[in-house]
Amino acid sequence: MRVLLLGGAGYIGTHVALDFIERGDSVGIYDNLSSGFMKNILPESTFYQGDILDAARLGEVLSIGWDAVVHLAAFKAAGESMTNPEKYSINNITGSLNIIIGCIKHNIKNFVLSSSAAVYGEPAYIPIDEKHPTNPENYYGYTKLAIERHLEWYSNLKGLNYASLRYFNAAGYDSNGRMTGIERDPANLIPVVMEAALGKRKLLKIFGNDYDTRDGTGVRDYIHVSDLADGHVKAVDYIVSKNKNLTVNLGSEHGLSVLEILNESRKVSGREIPAEITARRPGDPAGLIASSSKAKKLLGWKPKYSSIETIISTTWAVYKQ
Ligand code: UD1
């Protein structure tokens, strides 16, 4: 198959590229390198530098001919999306429309979207399945929901097949050490813990220890990026072979608290990792855990790398370099 990965040089995209290449697909990577890693673009793929807001350049690359596109080119900082929504409207929504319209124009039938558990908002129940109401609490989550809705319209009106993959908390690195790009100025827990372990930042701020969880700190469903990557390959196969759409959660179905992540990181790194309890971060729910039974049933997908040990050890292996 010929697969174009938009945002394929980013943290998740590089792992997705690896899986498609490993099974012998022909992979193109379209990325503006704003946060992507040139060093992780595998020689087996073809790299096209470009921005999803540059419709002419995008059209040129889409016109080459692809069986499917995987769209991973988005901003993802929920907090920032509340103070600078314009950035998210333009890149996430306008950029996605450019891709969708480009696919229609160039007769590309299959579209996989990197979506997010952020579409659900504050959980009404746990585990969260795909029938859970969608009430995003931040503008970032709204942009993902808006793109899902556009895909639904374009599917009905123009026959586009799509898969929307609602990731929970992406974490970890390729266990063979092939991907080593690290995020600049991270805000997510695990990269922040890693920087504190290295002394790159003074300490980890634990955002609240008075939640109704087993140790009072926030609980999340961390899903290994290699498991996410496998979900993309399976989703492409599903929509291509069945000529059907798909919306599924990708999560490990178990929760880890901030303290559990911190303690495992101390153990794996052998470093002290200073931490202090601070106020809650606005908008943070106590716990988020996925039900992924739909992905398991429809795709035959099953997480293999999402234990806390593998997530933290593969991440530390990259950071300690
Ligand atoms: C966040 C976004 C989510 C987005 C995801 C992708 C929110 C509410 N959610 O998920 O929409 O898809 O990132 O990047 O913003 N924590 C600390 N100290 C820190 C950082 C985090 O204690 O320095 C805690 C948080 O309170 C939370 C857990 O660690 O309990 C995970 O936080 P984080 O990694 O930021 O992910 P989410 O907030 O779950």
Side-chain angles (χ1 to χ4, degrees):
M1 229 181 313
R2 297 159 306 165
V3 186
L4 180 66
L5 309 181
L6 302 136
Y11 165 58
I12 298 175
T14 50
H15 287 86
V16 172
L18 196 58
D19 267 29
F20 278 110
I21 289 168
E22 271 192 332
R23 70 162 197 178
D25 285 338
S26 162
V27 172
I29 289 176
Y30 187 87
D31 203 294
N32 65 3
L33 296 179
S34 65
S35 60
F37 316 113
M38 197 61 207
K39 65 173 177 176
N40 282 345
I41 294 177
L42 298 165
E44 295 88 340
S45 62
T46 309
F47 178 61
Y48 307 94
Q49 184 153 2
D51 198 298
I52 58 174
L53 295 174
D54 180 350
R57 171 70 177 147
L58 180 63
E60 208 175 274
V61 176
L62 291 173
S63 74
I64 292 169
W66 305 93
D67 300 302
V69 301
V70 180
H71 171 25
L72 310 116
F75 292 125
K76 67 164 178 76
E80 181 191 51
S81 76
M82 301 297 273
T83 53
N84 189 1
E86 296 88 345
K87 179 174 168 184
Y88 286 73
S89 310
I90 295 169
N91 191 72
N92 291 14
I93 299 184
T94 308
S96 296
L97 285 171
N98 284 343
I99 302 169
I100 294 171
I101 293 166
C103 285
I104 304 302
K105 183 168 173 196
H106 298 289
N107 205 26
I108 299 169
K109 287 268 164 250
N110 300 290
F111 191 115
V112 173
L113 173 68
S114 155
S115 187
S116 168
V119 299
Y120 297 117
E122 178 72 26
Y125 57 84
I126 280 175
I128 298 173
D129 58 17
E130 294 80 357
K131 296 197 182 90
H132 187 286
T134 46
N135 291 310
E137 261 192 311
N138 49 61
Y139 185 67
Y140 158 73
Y142 173 73
T143 65
K144 293 288 178 177
L145 188 59
I147 305 160
E148 289 191 359
R149 300 244 167 98
H150 281 292
L151 286 171
E152 210 177 310
W153 277 102
Y154 273 89
S155 174
N156 290 333
L157 301 175
K158 296 283 179 171
L160 184 70
N161 294 325
Y162 71 89
S164 177
L165 306 180
R166 294 174 173 171
Y167 313 155
F168 280 65
N169 290 52
Y173 278 83
D174 172 53
S175 54
N176 295 314
R178 289 166 294 183
M179 295 300 162
T180 55
I182 60 175
E183 200 181 340
R184 294 177 279 269
D185 298 323
N188 291 117
L189 176 65
I190 296 177
V192 168
V193 169
M194 294 295 135
E195 291 197 357
L198 292 170
K200 266 178 141 182
R201 63 175 79 204
K202 261 205 342 254
L203 48 76
L204 165 71
K205 290 184 177 160
I206 299 174
F207 298 147
N209 67 346
D210 56 353
Y211 285 105
D212 184 17
T213 60
R214 53 184 174 266
D215 60 25
T217 64
V219 166
R220 295 291 181 275
D221 180 324
Y222 294 89
I223 178 78
H224 194 284
V225 65
S226 300
D227 289 327
L228 286 181
D230 181 45
H232 291 73
V233 173
K234 292 189 157 74
V236 166
D237 288 350
Y238 180 93
I239 61 173
V240 169
S241 66
K242 306 237 187 262
N243 202 22
K244 266 193 193 164
N245 301 325
L246 177 78
T247 297
V248 290
N249 289 340
L250 295 179
S252 71
E253 303 188 305
H254 60 253
L256 296 171
S257 73
V258 175
L259 284 181
E260 286 163 347
I261 295 281
L262 175 61
N263 290 335
E264 181 67 21
S265 303
R266 284 176 169 155
K267 199 169 99 190
V268 167
S269 67
R271 310 273 173 109
E272 183 202 348
I273 317 187
E276 72 177 23
I277 310 288
T278 65
R280 290 182 178 194
R281 183 172 64 179
D284 268 357
L288 286 178
I289 298 173
S291 161
S292 286
S293 53
K294 191 174 170 193
K296 287 179 174 165
K297 187 166 153 227
L298 295 183
L299 301 179
W301 175 80
K302 198 170 171 237
K304 285 192 218 115
Y305 301 99
S306 295
S307 68
I308 185 169
E309 293 82 9
T310 305
I311 285 176
I312 300 301
S313 63
T314 57
T315 308
W316 177 243
V318 169
Y319 273 82
K320 76 177 179 204
Q321 294 169 18

